[in-house]
Amino acid sequence: MGDESRLDITALIMDDHEWFRRQFARLDDAQSPAELAEVWDALATRLDTHAQAEETIFYPALLKRGDDAEDETDDAVRDHNKIRDAVAEAGRHEVGSSAWFDAVSRARTENSEHLAEEEDEGLPDFRKNAGWELRTSLGELWLQFYAAHPHGAGIDPSDRDPEQYLEEHS
Ligand SMILES: [Fe+2]
């Protein structure tokens, strides 16, 4: 596998997950609203971009191959909605205010639960059932998706209807 393993879609998703955890930790160390805003702006943007990237590239492929893909996908879209809602709620409050901290803390909790579920269920299901070629070609699409949406450009932060999503992609 060698260096190619870096292009595996499941590894790229986990790279983002690690980055998310690190950025939430950086918020704990921020010393001013300006520092909080700097970390949070990038984090909020990437949370929304990551959710849409997964819904565009990963979950449609999982639905075609996975053993328990419908449940995993339904859970993921619902979790993504909860994360998107908390990110949007934070955006309605002054950075550093208690309402802002509440919303960011909700985003963090929802995100942590979601990452664990994805890492324990959806990603393993895909690794077991998708060939290496598919995993790396989806990895390339993943990188292209990020390149096409710099700083969240063109990302739709609205909630997705899980049932409609499953219908469209099954
Ligand atoms: Fe996800």
Side-chain angles (χ1 to χ4, degrees), residues 24-139:
F24 278 112
R26 281 184 70 201
L27 289 175
D28 302 332
D29 287 326
Q31 299 294 321
S32 66
E35 275 183 48
L36 288 171
E38 195 191 324
V39 176
W40 177 247
D41 283 351
L43 175 52
T45 298
R46 192 145 182 134
L47 284 168
D48 283 344
T49 305
H50 176 90
Q52 189 170 324
E54 286 186 348
E55 287 161 3
T56 305
I57 298 162
F58 177 68
Y59 281 98
L62 180 67
L63 280 168
K64 291 193 176 65
R65 316 241 158 191
D67 293 325
D68 198 16
E70 290 214 355
D71 280 350
E72 286 154 1
T73 303
D74 183 79
D75 278 348
V77 173
R78 286 173 200 280
D79 288 350
H80 288 173
N81 287 342
K82 289 183 202 161
I83 297 163
R84 284 190 274 250
D85 291 348
V87 167
E89 179 66 20
R92 288 190 275 274
H93 300 286
E94 192 184 327
V95 174
S97 65
S98 68
W100 181 86
F101 271 111
D102 285 350
V104 169
S105 156
R106 195 150 59 83
R108 186 176 190 162
T109 303
E110 296 293 355
N111 187 58
S112 296
E113 284 177 18
H114 171 61
L115 301 191
E117 210 167 64
E118 208 163 62
E119 289 176 14
D120 294 352
E121 295 170 16
L123 296 180
D125 193 359
F126 195 66
R127 285 190 200 101
K128 277 183 233 148
N129 290 297
W132 191 249
E133 204 174 314
L134 177 62
R135 283 164 62 179
T136 53
S137 71
L138 292 180

Side-chain angles (χ1 to χ4, degrees), residues 6-19:
R6 286 170 46 231
L7 264 184
D8 166 22
I9 180 82
T10 71
L12 289 167
I13 287 173
M14 287 178 76
D15 286 347
D16 263 13
H17 290 181
E18 172 63 12
W19 187 84

